[in-house]
């Protein structure tokens, strides 16, 4: 049988020109898809408001037609990624009130969301596979697995059936062709996102590489694409009032992944990781499964390079959970003279060993979607410079003169200037309450980062010398320590914990497990994932060193023991010397600690080395017991033996030698 062709006579869509009136009464000719007759489905008429449907690769036509049928948009808009397109959509969003122009800045806009739609919704994020244990480990009886949530495709079909049919009525369906990773790189992957929210189009233009070249690439090869479908779930006529010109359906949010089909269906939210489907859904959850199948890694990691005063450059990838310091580290301004930092990526890394046994990493993204609060010219001047122009801010506050404000900018803001908070209330610096949402973000092109690495788009990726794990650990955990070896390092990553943050719906400051900083982003069985990490070690491969860092240890008064940010270069300096093999370590039961005095502290003022590196025995006894229990409960029989052995050895060392 010939392949199904939605444009074939009788079975299919025919495109014809029709005369249409717009809202101003202006007549024009538009293309319409007629008679999209998919097997078992009825007929639908939909105008193509922009682009040439006929020119799309057949498999894309089919994908669009199927979802037009399902979601019933009033038109199809084929995005081309051009400047004119961005201008047109920005204009629309300004007129509607979804965006506000920030007059003080250059081509920057503010968006305030419905206050019920402000972060990723982990509780409604699912992975669907026929077989449950492809997605989640054999969790011990009576325990709730936290490393990914599985739903059967049948159960998910019911959930989607009560949401997607007609979900785009009265709205335009935008079709976004994009590449994660430099277009054409052998390490990159292609996606197509369908969405009914033009804010998503504008953000995707920044975060991914949106281009019509994608159509040629798909048309000329048998390469496939990740299918991404997003609807805010607010068909017209509206059932409820739109708040802040931000249509969404927070009560019905669902983010469903089909790793076998390489497909994502997301409904109800317009926010970040819920709606920019190239990011967490594709580049982490789906990609981690592709990576498992193809022998590489998709990780929640920044990528940076550091060059010491002698001119030697090293590349570091670091996995910290959401809102735990990746963007800040990736753009670090060194406080030590002579050091240089360059940024390759701030959130996601795709890593694979090359034929010479070097681990190479690319940043699949093209922009930063960074946490605004805490960012200022002291903590992160590079991020401040990066988001000066061509940036969409979401849920920050606005100054009367059309600038931005968030917690952390007090010292850089006129205390008397009237401010509008993210909720739209009048406010002044010094007043009670928060002006910006704690998960407010800037979305800007990586290319305008003043310290972007010249090789950041190198199709081969950059060679990784070290991998870091870290989280927010207010007590017990030293500033830095080194894993004994790869296996020990993988165990440390598997045991990663951090205080919860505003990046998802968790409230309060509880310490949560966040293995490999991937808890919300796992695309397959976490036990298999750990084994996959262990399997990376092979003869002939140069394994990067693994370190654990903690910028967030507190003293008894609740103050940070370590100044952090640009001062973290001092810790990097120590790690680089370790990579060069300098003997500056002191073995401890949990790993190799820096020898006292081996981290340069000059000019820092009083730093309590003792307290920063102390290993309270009670704390570590409890910590390893708890981590072991956690991994047993979460992975059951899927926990690799090697990890089990590493946990036991660590426990023994702590109980005997600490
Ligand atoms: P996601 O984008 O959610 O994945 O977050 P991220 O890991 O990129 O975190 P980011 O760098 O945006 O930092 C989050 C918060 O941590 C910000 O408020 C920062 O100001 C704060 N932060 C980052 N680095 C440090 C540090 O070294 N010390 C301290 N005390 N705070 C830090
Ligand atoms: C994170 O939560 O890790 C983020 C923000 O990077 S979001 O894109 O919303 O997932
Ligand atoms: Mn992140």
């Amino acid at each position: 049988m010939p392949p199904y062709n939605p444009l074939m006579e009788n079975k299919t869509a025919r495109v014809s020109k029709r005369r249409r009136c717009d809202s101003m009464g202006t007549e024009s000719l538009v293309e319409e898809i007629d008679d999209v007759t998919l097997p078992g489905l009825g007929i639908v008429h939909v105008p193509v408001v922009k682009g040439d449907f006929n020119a799309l690769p057949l498999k894309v036509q089919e994908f669009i037609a199927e979802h037009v049928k399902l979601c019933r948009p009033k038109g199809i808009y084929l995005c081309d990624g051009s400047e004119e397109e961005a201008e047109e959509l920005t204009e629309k969003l300004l007129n509607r009130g979804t965006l506000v122009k920030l007059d003080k800045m250059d081509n920057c806009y503010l968006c305030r969301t419905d206050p019920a739609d402000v972060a990723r919704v982990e509780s409604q994020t699912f992975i669907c596979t026929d077989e449950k244990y492809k997605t989640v480990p054999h969790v011990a009886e009576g325990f709730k697995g936290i490393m990914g949530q599985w739903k059967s495709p049948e159960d998910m079909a019911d959930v989607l059936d009560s949401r997607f049919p007609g979900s785009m009525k009265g709205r335009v369906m935008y079709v976004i062709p994009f590449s994660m990773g430099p277009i054409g790189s052998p390490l990159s992957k292609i996606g197509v996102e369908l969405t009914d929210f033009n804010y998503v189009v504008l953000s995707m233009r920044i975060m991914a590489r949106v281009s019509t070249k994608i159509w040629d690439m798909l048309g000329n090869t048998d390469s496939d694409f990740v299918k991404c479908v997003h609807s805010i779930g607010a068909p017209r006529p509206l059932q409820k009032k739109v708040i802040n010109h931000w249509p969404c359906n927070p009560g019905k949010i669902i983010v469903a992944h089909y790793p076998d089909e390489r497909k994502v269906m997301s409904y109800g939210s317009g926010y970040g990781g819920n709606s920019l489907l190239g990011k967490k859904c594709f580049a982490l959850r789906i990609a981690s499964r592709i990576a498992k199948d193809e022998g590489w890694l998709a990780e929640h990691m920044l990528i940076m390079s550091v060059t010491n005063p002698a001119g030697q450059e090293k590349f570091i990838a670091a996995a910290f959970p959401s809102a735990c310091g990746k963007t800040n580290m990736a753009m670090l301004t060194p406080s030590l003279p002579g050091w240089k930092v360059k940024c390759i990526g701030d959130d996601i890394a795709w890593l694979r060993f090359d034929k010479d046994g070097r681990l190479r990493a690319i940043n699949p993204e093209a922009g930063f979607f960074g946490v605004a609060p805490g960012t200022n010219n002291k903590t992160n001047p590079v991020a401040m410079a990066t988001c000066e122009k061509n940036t969409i801010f979401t849920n920050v506050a606005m100054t009367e003169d059309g600038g931005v404000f968030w917690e952390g900018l007090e010292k850089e803001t006129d205390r008397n200037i009237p401010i509008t908070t993210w909720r739209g209330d009048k406010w002044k610096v010094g007043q009670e309450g928060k002006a910006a949402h704690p998960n407010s973000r800037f979305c800007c092109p990586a290319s305008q980062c003043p310290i972007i690495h010249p090789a950041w788009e190198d199709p081969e990726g950059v060679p990784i010398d070290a991998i870091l794990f870290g989280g927010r650990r207010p007590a017990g955990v030293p500033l830095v320590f080194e894993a004994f070896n790869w296996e020990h390092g993988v165990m440390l990553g598997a045991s990663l914990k951090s205080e919860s943050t505003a990046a998802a719906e968790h409230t309060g400051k509880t310490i949560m497990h966040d293995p490999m900083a991937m808890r919300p982003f796992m695309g397959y069985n976490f036990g298999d994932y750990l084994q996959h990490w262990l399997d990376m070690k092979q003869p002939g491969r140069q394994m990067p060193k693994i370190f654990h860092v903690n910028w967030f240890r507190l003293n008894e008064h609740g103050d940070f023991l370590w100044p952090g940010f640009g001062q973290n270069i001092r810790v990097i300096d120590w790690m680089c010397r370790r990579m060069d093999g300098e003997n500056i370590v002191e073995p401890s039961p949990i790993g190799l600690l820096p020898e006292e005095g081996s981290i340069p502290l000059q000019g820092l003022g009083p730093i309590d080395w003792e307290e920063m590196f102390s290993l309270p025995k009670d704390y570590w006894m409890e910590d390893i017991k708890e981590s072991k229990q956690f991994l047993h409960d979460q992975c059951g029989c899927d926990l690799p033996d090697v990890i089990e052995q590493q946990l036991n050895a660590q426990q023994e060392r702590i109980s005997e030698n600490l």
Side-chain angles (χ1 to χ4, degrees):
M1 223 171 70
Y4 170 68
N5 174 352
L7 288 186
M8 243 162 61
E9 202 69 39
N10 296 329
K11 278 202 190 163
T12 62
R14 266 174 278 127
V15 178
S16 57
K17 298 268 183 196
R18 291 249 170 106
R19 206 160 278 284
R20 287 259 162 168
C21 280
D22 67 12
S23 55
M24 309 298 286
T26 321
E27 270 197 10
S28 58
L29 275 177
V30 291
E31 280 186 347
E32 289 207 344
I33 304 180
D34 277 335
D35 308 336
V36 182
T37 314
L38 292 166
L41 295 169
I43 293 174
V44 65
H45 300 276
V46 168
V48 178
V49 294
K50 180 178 155 179
D52 182 359
F53 186 84
N54 283 317
L56 300 181
L58 268 184
K59 50 196 168 196
V60 177
Q61 292 185 9
E62 232 173 270
F63 170 56
I64 297 171
E66 185 190 336
H67 291 90
V68 162
K69 257 342 236 195
L70 180 68
C71 305
R72 300 292 175 126
K74 68 172 180 186
I76 302 173
Y77 186 113
L78 304 176
C79 300
D80 59 20
S82 65
E83 281 305 320
E84 300 74 58
E85 184 172 281
E87 278 163 29
E88 180 200 332
L89 298 181
T90 303
E91 200 56 38
K92 272 198 182 130
L93 283 167
L94 285 171
N95 289 338
R96 209 193 295 153
T98 310
L99 290 185
V100 176
K101 182 147 177 33
L102 291 163
D103 287 330
K104 205 177 162 185
M105 306 174 78
D106 179 7
N107 194 32
C108 290
Y109 304 90
L110 167 64
C111 174
R112 294 188 208 111
T113 71
D114 182 328
D117 189 23
V118 293
R120 277 185 297 100
V121 182
E122 293 179 5
S123 60
Q124 299 306 320
T125 299
F126 294 89
I127 313 277
C128 305
T129 45
D130 286 330
E131 209 220 305
K132 177 175 175 182
Y133 298 110
K134 248 178 148 173
T135 294
V136 289
H138 289 77
V139 176
E141 234 180 277
F143 285 89
K144 190 183 172 330
I146 66 159
M147 295 307 292
Q149 298 195 90
W150 174 80
K151 215 186 244 317
S152 73
E154 295 75 38
D155 288 349
M156 187 54 86
D158 291 341
V159 175
L160 300 186
D161 285 350
S162 65
R163 286 166 170 76
F164 277 97
S167 71
M168 296 185 183
K169 271 188 188 161
R171 297 189 185 276
V172 170
M173 175 195 273
Y174 296 89
V175 179
I176 313 170
F178 65 97
S179 172
M180 296 311 288
I183 291 180
S185 159
L187 303 186
S188 300
K189 301 276 173 203
I190 286 171
V192 178
E193 176 161 347
L194 312 179
T195 178
D196 54 3
F197 197 12
N198 33 17
Y199 164 88
V200 170
V201 180
L202 288 179
S203 306
M204 282 293 287
R205 286 186 83 248
I206 298 173
M207 297 306 297
R209 281 126 175 135
V210 175
S211 163
T212 51
K213 282 187 208 145
I214 303 297
W215 302 139
D216 305 331
M217 289 165 67
L218 279 174
N220 296 338
T221 63
D222 47 54
S223 69
D224 222 346
F225 63 99
V226 175
K227 300 179 173 74
C228 301
V229 183
H230 169 252
S231 173
I232 46 181
R236 293 194 174 100
L238 288 160
Q239 301 294 306
K240 69 174 189 72
K241 204 171 153 253
V242 171
I243 300 170
N244 282 348
H245 310 281
W246 178 271
C248 60
N249 198 340
K252 292 207 143 182
I253 290 173
I254 195 89
V255 188
H257 303 71
Y258 297 85
D260 290 323
E261 293 158 53
R262 317 286 200 225
K263 183 172 182 187
V264 183
M265 299 284 287
S266 173
Y267 182 94
S269 167
Y271 196 87
N274 300 328
S275 70
L276 316 179
L277 301 188
K279 195 171 174 59
K280 306 299 174 157
C281 298
F282 174 170
L284 286 175
R285 299 194 192 94
I286 299 284
S288 66
R289 231 312 279 288
I290 301 177
K292 162 84 168 73
D293 296 347
E294 297 180 357
W296 50 281
L297 299 165
E299 300 297 330
H300 192 200
M301 289 177 176
L302 69 91
I303 311 168
M304 71 194 296
S305 99
V306 286
T307 305
N308 69 9
Q312 288 154 337
E313 183 174 45
K314 289 189 165 50
F315 291 87
I316 295 174
F320 308 154
S322 300
C324 289
K326 288 184 300 301
T327 302
N328 277 273
M329 184 161 176
M331 298 177 196
L332 182 151
T333 302
S335 65
L336 292 179
W339 282 83
K340 276 196 201 72
V341 164
K342 297 236 172 264
C343 173
I344 291 98
D346 82 325
D347 199 51
I348 300 177
W350 287 356
L351 309 116
R352 71 171 91 197
F353 282 92
D354 65 15
K355 57 178 185 349
D356 302 321
R358 283 287 264 163
L359 184 60
R360 295 200 161 258
I362 64 162
N363 169 14
E365 301 192 276
F368 306 125
F369 186 62
V371 177
T375 311
N376 60 45
N377 279 308
K378 204 157 163 251
T379 56
N380 194 347
V382 175
M384 293 300 288
T386 308
C387 67
E388 246 168 25
K389 55 183 182 192
N390 310 319
T391 301
I392 302 174
F393 294 90
T394 301
N395 287 340
V396 304
M398 185 169 99
T399 57
E400 192 182 46
D401 57 351
V404 285
F405 178 82
W406 50 73
E407 279 56 40
L409 283 179
E410 294 80 357
K411 290 198 180 129
E412 298 171 30
T413 307
D414 172 0
R415 293 189 77 77
N416 294 315
I417 196 161
I419 286 174
T420 309
T421 69
W422 75 278
R423 283 178 173 275
D425 300 326
K426 292 286 159 232
W427 196 86
K428 278 219 171 107
V429 174
Q431 205 173 310
E432 222 182 290
K434 290 204 187 308
H437 187 278
N439 193 36
S440 55
R441 302 222 170 214
F442 52 82
C443 178
C444 51
S447 58
Q448 58 191 41
C449 174
I451 60 161
I452 200 74
H453 198 286
W456 84 285
E457 295 189 285
D458 188 331
E460 302 303 317
V462 296
I464 297 298
D465 300 291
I467 290 174
L468 275 50
F469 294 113
R472 291 174 180 261
R473 300 294 291 273
V477 181
L479 180 64
V480 61
F481 58 99
E482 181 186 324
F484 296 122
N485 50 45
W486 184 255
E487 293 79 1
H488 183 236
V490 176
M491 182 276 281
L492 292 178
S495 308
L496 196 65
K497 297 186 215 183
S498 188
E499 223 169 39
S500 51
T501 66
E505 71 267 41
H506 312 287
T507 49
K509 282 195 167 180
T510 48
I511 304 282
M512 295 166 68
H513 279 275
D514 195 340
M516 317 298 263
M518 282 289 278
R519 178 183 44 75
F521 311 119
M522 275 307 305
Y524 65 99
N525 182 315
F526 174 57
D528 295 346
Y529 167 92
L530 290 178
Q531 188 59 53
H532 187 55
W533 261 79
L534 293 168
D535 292 343
M536 286 296 129
K537 184 169 166 183
Q538 286 171 22
R541 284 184 176 176
Q542 218 172 303
M543 302 313 289
K545 266 190 186 301
I546 297 180
F547 297 90
H548 188 288
V549 298
N550 177 27
W551 316 138
F552 300 93
R553 194 168 184 174
L554 303 177
N555 66 13
E556 69 216 37
H557 309 296
D559 303 319
F560 290 116
L561 281 168
W562 179 249
F565 302 104
Q567 305 294 359
N568 293 336
I569 194 70
R570 297 168 190 265
V571 180
I572 294 175
D573 167 278
W574 180 82
M575 291 189 280
C576 287
R577 286 190 282 140
R578 282 299 298 152
M579 292 174 231
D580 289 336
E582 259 187 67
N583 186 10
I584 41 174
V585 292
E586 219 170 80
S588 92
I590 64 164
L592 302 170
L593 290 175
E595 205 172 66
E596 181 148 10
S598 60
I599 295 179
L601 299 180
Q602 68 275 21
L604 266 191
I607 291 282
D608 192 337
W609 183 284
E610 190 90 348
E611 198 178 351
M612 222 164 45
F613 286 99
S614 69
L615 302 175
K617 179 153 185 173
D618 293 351
Y619 180 91
W620 281 98
M621 287 293 288
E622 179 52 31
D623 182 85
I624 186 69
K625 194 174 125 208
E626 197 275 334
S627 292
K628 247 175 96 167
Q629 193 64 49
F630 167 80
L631 288 168
H632 286 168
D633 296 341
Q634 290 295 322
C635 292
C637 58
D638 296 314
L639 187 69
D641 290 343
V642 172
I643 300 294
E644 177 74 27
Q645 287 153 16
Q646 286 293 335
L647 288 163
N648 288 336
Q650 180 107 336
Q651 190 168 34
E652 219 173 283
R653 284 191 301 266
I654 291 169
S655 86
E656 282 172 18
N657 303 331
L658 203 63

